[in-house]
Amino acid sequence: MHTLTMKFGGTSVGTIEALRSLTEIIRQAQRRAERVAIVVSAMSGVTDLLQEGITSASEGRTTRYAEIEQTLRMRHSDVLQALAPGEASVVMAEVGGLITDFVGFCDSVSVLGEVTPRTLDYTMGLGERMSVRQVAAVLRGAGIPAQAFDSTDLIVTDDRFQDAAPLMDESRANVHAKVFPALDAGKVAVVTGFIGATRSGIATTLGRGGSDYSGAIIAACLDSDELWIWTDVPGVMSTDPRIVPEAHTIDKLTYREVTELAYFGAKVLHPKTIRPVSELGMPIRVKDTFHPDHPGTLIVPSDPDSTHPLKAVTVIRNVAAFTLEGKGMQGVPGVAGRTFDAVARAGASILVISQSSSEQSIFFVIPDRNAAQVASAIEKEFSREMARQDIDTVMYNSHYTIVTVVGSGMRDTPGVAGRLFSALGQHQINVVAIAMGSSDCSLSLAVASSQADDAIRAIHELAIRAAQPVAQ
Ligand code: ADP
Ligand code: ASP
Ligand code: MG
């Protein structure tokens, strides 16, 4: 029996037009697979609104969340009236209950004057719970039997609020017990993305953009044959089409390439999406809800026949580049280890590292929001060495951007680095640091933020497009 799990992102459930397209996609899918489960995001913009509402409440601004309440009511009620008129009032009552919940939380937070990660997770996850009820009603309105599920009843997670990790065995048991009966009764299961709950039932989220990850978790728990991710662009592209309109769809990528691409900033997929399905070798397709006939991108465990050494270029903005330098550094034992321990203690994760061979300097890049804390942690760690001037002051610069080129053939293809640097040279772009990814299929460069978009365009034009046999 063929099981297909599909995930629809915020824009794919965000308008009446998108939901009409989604309905057609489900009809087609039912011809292909006996069991169809879908994982859906909140309507586009809703998670941001919920976050803004609760944050403004914590700052004592009580009018903003009242406005947001109205927007949420209107957006859902417009869709339900148009696409599920028969049960609009019943479903709107359920959705309205969730919105009332949101307002209640905002009221409490405005009194308390602070919001905890736990409260953020509960409120920010409400958008998905509104969305599943709406999408299931829209499908039923089109004559497709469908049942909504909250992942708070399915996906069991740890209690790292805002970035929770799934406990797969327990989640699988829940999905088997609760979702399979609906699928076997011929219904489409409509499951919330983004959220889960701890063993004791406290709501969590998997991190922003986490619905892709939820899609993969549900696909794995259902032993699906395939996972299809529907979004608002025709697949994974050679770069963000918002920066380079000529970006083309990549027809095939490996698990490692796509993970690297996502880790280094391509928003199209959440970086953890591959994890739940990697052992199963499940094929993933990324497709465009608004152009469903476009083949999109196929993601496979490995692709030995790949002929393109460079496939995509991605960007992470708002990073801080740290340099630790000093003439006496050679003599100081364990400088690198102590530096990275200090960074970890400050709660930051390092995106890129490079060390000069003379050991006289260490360079690394972290998200800018952690910069001040990391600087003071390092200064504390090396206070003695700094007093002796073995290590000069710790410097950081927040005006850098990481640009990463991804492609697994890079390692074995001569001349790749040359092509890349000549592209950057032609555009007078200065590369501050270079680091090869540990998986050998990415190369990251730090450049001044003011030159980042030029660097992306230059790399895309001269190194990626130039290597394409046929530009699409
Ligand atoms: P969804 O709501 O469907 O999850 P997202 O907004 O999270 O959609 O991700 C899709 C967006 O990712 C696209 O609209 C595009 O602007 C952006 N993006 C960034 N890099 C890439 C890339 N390499 N390929 C495709 N899209 C990309
Ligand atoms: N709605 C959530 C977010 O905006 C999850 C997702 O869309 O992937 O982050
Ligand atoms: Mg997304």
Side-chain angles (χ1 to χ4, degrees), residues 283-311:
I284 304 176
R285 263 191 192 286
V286 181
K287 285 176 68 77
D288 186 348
T289 302
F290 304 94
H291 300 94
D293 294 333
H294 191 293
T297 300
L298 177 64
I299 302 169
V300 291
S302 67
D303 181 21
D305 303 329
S306 170
T307 49
H308 314 318
L310 300 183
K311 292 190 177 169

mmCIF file of all heavy atoms in Angstrom, residues 283-311:
data_model
loop_
_atom_site.group_PDB
_atom_site.id
_atom_site.type_symbol
_atom_site.label_atom_id
_atom_site.label_comp_id
_atom_site.label_asym_id
_atom_site.label_seq_id
_atom_site.Cartn_x
_atom_site.Cartn_y
_atom_site.Cartn_z
ATOM 1 N N PRO A 283 12.769 9.030 -0.478
ATOM 2 C CA PRO A 283 12.948 10.141 -1.422
ATOM 3 C C PRO A 283 12.052 11.328 -1.049
ATOM 4 O O PRO A 283 10.924 11.138 -0.595
ATOM 5 C CB PRO A 283 12.522 9.549 -2.771
ATOM 6 C CG PRO A 283 11.686 8.360 -2.447
ATOM 7 C CD PRO A 283 12.062 7.879 -1.073
ATOM 8 N N ILE A 284 12.572 12.535 -1.233
ATOM 9 C CA ILE A 284 11.812 13.752 -0.916
ATOM 10 C C ILE A 284 11.700 14.575 -2.192
ATOM 11 O O ILE A 284 12.676 14.702 -2.932
ATOM 12 C CB ILE A 284 12.553 14.584 0.155
ATOM 13 C CG1 ILE A 284 12.810 13.740 1.402
ATOM 14 C CG2 ILE A 284 11.778 15.854 0.502
ATOM 15 C CD1 ILE A 284 13.623 14.456 2.469
ATOM 16 N N ARG A 285 10.534 15.117 -2.429
ATOM 17 C CA ARG A 285 10.366 16.051 -3.543
ATOM 18 C C ARG A 285 9.988 17.413 -3.005
ATOM 19 O O ARG A 285 9.208 17.505 -2.062
ATOM 20 C CB ARG A 285 9.238 15.589 -4.458
ATOM 21 C CG ARG A 285 9.733 14.836 -5.621
ATOM 22 C CD ARG A 285 8.702 14.588 -6.681
ATOM 23 N NE ARG A 285 9.272 13.614 -7.587
ATOM 24 C CZ ARG A 285 10.222 13.877 -8.474
ATOM 25 N NH1 ARG A 285 10.695 15.103 -8.629
ATOM 26 N NH2 ARG A 285 10.715 12.922 -9.228
ATOM 27 N N VAL A 286 10.564 18.459 -3.575
ATOM 28 C CA VAL A 286 10.161 19.816 -3.200
ATOM 29 C C VAL A 286 9.469 20.412 -4.412
ATOM 30 O O VAL A 286 10.034 20.431 -5.512
ATOM 31 C CB VAL A 286 11.393 20.668 -2.807
ATOM 32 C CG1 VAL A 286 10.950 22.066 -2.385
ATOM 33 C CG2 VAL A 286 12.164 19.996 -1.679
ATOM 34 N N LYS A 287 8.218 20.861 -4.232
ATOM 35 C CA LYS A 287 7.420 21.289 -5.376
ATOM 36 C C LYS A 287 6.680 22.599 -5.106
ATOM 37 O O LYS A 287 6.534 23.024 -3.972
ATOM 38 C CB LYS A 287 6.416 20.181 -5.745
ATOM 39 C CG LYS A 287 7.102 19.001 -6.452
ATOM 40 C CD LYS A 287 6.140 17.870 -6.733
ATOM 41 C CE LYS A 287 5.082 18.190 -7.759
ATOM 42 N NZ LYS A 287 5.548 18.163 -9.157
ATOM 43 N N ASP A 288 6.201 23.189 -6.197
ATOM 44 C CA ASP A 288 5.572 24.511 -6.141
ATOM 45 C C ASP A 288 4.050 24.375 -6.176
ATOM 46 O O ASP A 288 3.477 23.929 -7.178
ATOM 47 C CB ASP A 288 6.066 25.305 -7.368
ATOM 48 C CG ASP A 288 5.603 26.747 -7.360
ATOM 49 O OD1 ASP A 288 4.717 27.091 -6.552
ATOM 50 O OD2 ASP A 288 6.126 27.534 -8.168
ATOM 51 N N THR A 289 3.405 24.767 -5.096
ATOM 52 C CA THR A 289 1.941 24.690 -5.007
ATOM 53 C C THR A 289 1.259 25.450 -6.149
ATOM 54 O O THR A 289 0.179 25.090 -6.578
ATOM 55 C CB THR A 289 1.486 25.296 -3.656
ATOM 56 O OG1 THR A 289 2.129 24.566 -2.627
ATOM 57 C CG2 THR A 289 -0.009 25.222 -3.447
ATOM 58 N N PHE A 290 1.936 26.507 -6.609
ATOM 59 C CA PHE A 290 1.291 27.357 -7.613
ATOM 60 C C PHE A 290 1.620 26.912 -9.045
ATOM 61 O O PHE A 290 1.056 27.432 -10.001
ATOM 62 C CB PHE A 290 1.672 28.820 -7.355
ATOM 63 C CG PHE A 290 1.297 29.211 -5.950
ATOM 64 C CD1 PHE A 290 2.223 29.124 -4.905
ATOM 65 C CD2 PHE A 290 -0.011 29.575 -5.643
ATOM 66 C CE1 PHE A 290 1.868 29.427 -3.602
ATOM 67 C CE2 PHE A 290 -0.379 29.871 -4.337
ATOM 68 C CZ PHE A 290 0.554 29.798 -3.315
ATOM 69 N N HIS A 291 2.545 25.969 -9.197
ATOM 70 C CA HIS A 291 2.863 25.361 -10.507
ATOM 71 C C HIS A 291 3.059 23.861 -10.276
ATOM 72 O O HIS A 291 4.175 23.352 -10.387
ATOM 73 C CB HIS A 291 4.138 25.976 -11.112
ATOM 74 C CG HIS A 291 4.018 27.448 -11.331
ATOM 75 N ND1 HIS A 291 4.450 28.376 -10.411
ATOM 76 C CD2 HIS A 291 3.470 28.151 -12.355
ATOM 77 C CE1 HIS A 291 4.175 29.589 -10.867
ATOM 78 N NE2 HIS A 291 3.587 29.478 -12.038
ATOM 79 N N PRO A 292 1.972 23.174 -9.963
ATOM 80 C CA PRO A 292 2.116 21.775 -9.537
ATOM 81 C C PRO A 292 2.690 20.850 -10.603
ATOM 82 O O PRO A 292 3.195 19.773 -10.272
ATOM 83 C CB PRO A 292 0.696 21.355 -9.149
ATOM 84 C CG PRO A 292 -0.190 22.485 -9.480
ATOM 85 C CD PRO A 292 0.589 23.660 -9.901
ATOM 86 N N ASP A 293 2.629 21.254 -11.891
ATOM 87 C CA ASP A 293 3.163 20.361 -12.921
ATOM 88 C C ASP A 293 4.679 20.449 -13.054
ATOM 89 O O ASP A 293 5.304 19.599 -13.668
ATOM 90 C CB ASP A 293 2.520 20.669 -14.286
ATOM 91 C CG ASP A 293 1.040 20.329 -14.247
ATOM 92 O OD1 ASP A 293 0.671 19.433 -13.442
ATOM 93 O OD2 ASP A 293 0.263 20.963 -14.979
ATOM 94 N N HIS A 294 5.264 21.488 -12.485
ATOM 95 C CA HIS A 294 6.736 21.601 -12.537
ATOM 96 C C HIS A 294 7.331 20.450 -11.714
ATOM 97 O O HIS A 294 6.882 20.195 -10.589
ATOM 98 C CB HIS A 294 7.154 22.957 -11.957
ATOM 99 C CG HIS A 294 8.593 23.268 -12.203
ATOM 100 N ND1 HIS A 294 9.612 22.558 -11.615
ATOM 101 C CD2 HIS A 294 9.190 24.195 -12.984
ATOM 102 C CE1 HIS A 294 10.777 23.048 -12.018
ATOM 103 N NE2 HIS A 294 10.541 24.040 -12.852
ATOM 104 N N PRO A 295 8.342 19.737 -12.264
ATOM 105 C CA PRO A 295 8.854 18.568 -11.532
ATOM 106 C C PRO A 295 9.534 18.904 -10.205
ATOM 107 O O PRO A 295 9.632 18.032 -9.329
ATOM 108 C CB PRO A 295 9.873 17.950 -12.505
ATOM 109 C CG PRO A 295 10.144 18.995 -13.538
ATOM 110 C CD PRO A 295 8.951 19.893 -13.587
ATOM 111 N N GLY A 296 10.009 20.130 -10.024
ATOM 112 C CA GLY A 296 10.637 20.497 -8.743
ATOM 113 C C GLY A 296 11.967 19.798 -8.545
ATOM 114 O O GLY A 296 12.657 19.443 -9.507
ATOM 115 N N THR A 297 12.301 19.580 -7.279
ATOM 116 C CA THR A 297 13.604 18.980 -6.938
ATOM 117 C C THR A 297 13.393 17.626 -6.283
ATOM 118 O O THR A 297 12.535 17.488 -5.411
ATOM 119 C CB THR A 297 14.343 19.900 -5.942
ATOM 120 O OG1 THR A 297 14.527 21.167 -6.557
ATOM 121 C CG2 THR A 297 15.700 19.318 -5.547
ATOM 122 N N LEU A 298 14.204 16.660 -6.695
ATOM 123 C CA LEU A 298 14.180 15.347 -6.045
ATOM 124 C C LEU A 298 15.398 15.259 -5.119
ATOM 125 O O LEU A 298 16.516 15.577 -5.540
ATOM 126 C CB LEU A 298 14.246 14.250 -7.112
ATOM 127 C CG LEU A 298 14.302 12.818 -6.585
ATOM 128 C CD1 LEU A 298 13.024 12.456 -5.823
ATOM 129 C CD2 LEU A 298 14.508 11.831 -7.746
ATOM 130 N N ILE A 299 15.164 14.842 -3.877
ATOM 131 C CA ILE A 299 16.279 14.717 -2.923
ATOM 132 C C ILE A 299 16.456 13.238 -2.594
ATOM 133 O O ILE A 299 15.505 12.569 -2.180
ATOM 134 C CB ILE A 299 15.993 15.536 -1.649
ATOM 135 C CG1 ILE A 299 15.758 17.004 -2.029
ATOM 136 C CG2 ILE A 299 17.164 15.428 -0.668
ATOM 137 C CD1 ILE A 299 15.206 17.848 -0.900
ATOM 138 N N VAL A 300 17.663 12.745 -2.819
ATOM 139 C CA VAL A 300 17.935 11.299 -2.690
ATOM 140 C C VAL A 300 19.111 11.085 -1.734
ATOM 141 O O VAL A 300 19.893 12.002 -1.495
ATOM 142 C CB VAL A 300 18.259 10.684 -4.074
ATOM 143 C CG1 VAL A 300 17.033 10.670 -4.970
ATOM 144 C CG2 VAL A 300 19.406 11.427 -4.757
ATOM 145 N N PRO A 301 19.258 9.847 -1.201
ATOM 146 C CA PRO A 301 20.367 9.614 -0.261
ATOM 147 C C PRO A 301 21.732 9.905 -0.869
ATOM 148 O O PRO A 301 22.579 10.528 -0.230
ATOM 149 C CB PRO A 301 20.215 8.129 0.089
ATOM 150 C CG PRO A 301 18.773 7.825 -0.148
ATOM 151 C CD PRO A 301 18.341 8.688 -1.284
ATOM 152 N N SER A 302 21.978 9.464 -2.104
ATOM 153 C CA SER A 302 23.261 9.788 -2.738
ATOM 154 C C SER A 302 23.076 9.786 -4.243
ATOM 155 O O SER A 302 22.092 9.246 -4.756
ATOM 156 C CB SER A 302 24.330 8.777 -2.337
ATOM 157 O OG SER A 302 23.983 7.532 -2.891
ATOM 158 N N ASP A 303 24.024 10.400 -4.951
ATOM 159 C CA ASP A 303 23.882 10.543 -6.397
ATOM 160 C C ASP A 303 25.259 10.469 -7.043
ATOM 161 O O ASP A 303 25.864 11.489 -7.375
ATOM 162 C CB ASP A 303 23.207 11.904 -6.690
ATOM 163 C CG ASP A 303 22.997 12.116 -8.173
ATOM 164 O OD1 ASP A 303 22.990 11.124 -8.930
ATOM 165 O OD2 ASP A 303 22.843 13.290 -8.580
ATOM 166 N N PRO A 304 25.773 9.257 -7.205
ATOM 167 C CA PRO A 304 27.144 9.128 -7.702
ATOM 168 C C PRO A 304 27.325 9.676 -9.120
ATOM 169 O O PRO A 304 28.442 10.011 -9.513
ATOM 170 C CB PRO A 304 27.403 7.612 -7.662
ATOM 171 C CG PRO A 304 26.126 6.965 -7.285
ATOM 172 C CD PRO A 304 25.123 7.988 -6.925
ATOM 173 N N ASP A 305 26.237 9.793 -9.884
ATOM 174 C CA ASP A 305 26.386 10.236 -11.278
ATOM 175 C C ASP A 305 26.317 11.750 -11.454
ATOM 176 O O ASP A 305 26.377 12.250 -12.576
ATOM 177 C CB ASP A 305 25.278 9.616 -12.146
ATOM 178 C CG ASP A 305 25.312 8.111 -12.056
ATOM 179 O OD1 ASP A 305 26.422 7.571 -11.871
ATOM 180 O OD2 ASP A 305 24.238 7.484 -12.128
ATOM 181 N N SER A 306 26.199 12.470 -10.335
ATOM 182 C CA SER A 306 26.041 13.916 -10.459
ATOM 183 C C SER A 306 27.213 14.533 -11.213
ATOM 184 O O SER A 306 28.368 14.211 -10.971
ATOM 185 C CB SER A 306 25.967 14.515 -9.059
ATOM 186 O OG SER A 306 26.051 15.906 -9.157
ATOM 187 N N THR A 307 26.897 15.415 -12.162
ATOM 188 C CA THR A 307 27.972 15.995 -12.966
ATOM 189 C C THR A 307 28.213 17.475 -12.652
ATOM 190 O O THR A 307 29.122 18.065 -13.197
ATOM 191 C CB THR A 307 27.649 15.867 -14.467
ATOM 192 O OG1 THR A 307 26.313 16.337 -14.653
ATOM 193 C CG2 THR A 307 27.773 14.439 -14.946
ATOM 194 N N HIS A 308 27.388 18.056 -11.781
ATOM 195 C CA HIS A 308 27.612 19.483 -11.486
ATOM 196 C C HIS A 308 28.352 19.622 -10.168
ATOM 197 O O HIS A 308 27.798 19.296 -9.121
ATOM 198 C CB HIS A 308 26.294 20.249 -11.332
ATOM 199 C CG HIS A 308 25.299 19.947 -12.397
ATOM 200 N ND1 HIS A 308 25.648 19.836 -13.706
ATOM 201 C CD2 HIS A 308 23.967 19.737 -12.330
ATOM 202 C CE1 HIS A 308 24.569 19.561 -14.411
ATOM 203 N NE2 HIS A 308 23.545 19.482 -13.603
ATOM 204 N N PRO A 309 29.586 20.108 -10.209
ATOM 205 C CA PRO A 309 30.317 20.233 -8.942
ATOM 206 C C PRO A 309 29.736 21.318 -8.022
ATOM 207 O O PRO A 309 29.716 21.154 -6.817
ATOM 208 C CB PRO A 309 31.734 20.588 -9.382
ATOM 209 C CG PRO A 309 31.627 21.078 -10.784
ATOM 210 C CD PRO A 309 30.401 20.474 -11.369
ATOM 211 N N LEU A 310 29.233 22.398 -8.601
ATOM 212 C CA LEU A 310 28.676 23.472 -7.768
ATOM 213 C C LEU A 310 27.192 23.587 -8.077
ATOM 214 O O LEU A 310 26.816 23.790 -9.229
ATOM 215 C CB LEU A 310 29.346 24.807 -8.100
ATOM 216 C CG LEU A 310 30.853 24.903 -7.890
ATOM 217 C CD1 LEU A 310 31.333 26.313 -8.192
ATOM 218 C CD2 LEU A 310 31.226 24.530 -6.472
ATOM 219 N N LYS A 311 26.379 23.449 -7.053
ATOM 220 C CA LYS A 311 24.943 23.433 -7.337
ATOM 221 C C LYS A 311 24.202 24.670 -6.854
ATOM 222 O O LYS A 311 23.230 25.081 -7.444
ATOM 223 C CB LYS A 311 24.311 22.200 -6.709
ATOM 224 C CG LYS A 311 24.769 20.925 -7.394
ATOM 225 C CD LYS A 311 23.964 19.738 -6.928
ATOM 226 C CE LYS A 311 24.378 18.492 -7.685
ATOM 227 N NZ LYS A 311 23.796 17.287 -7.082
#
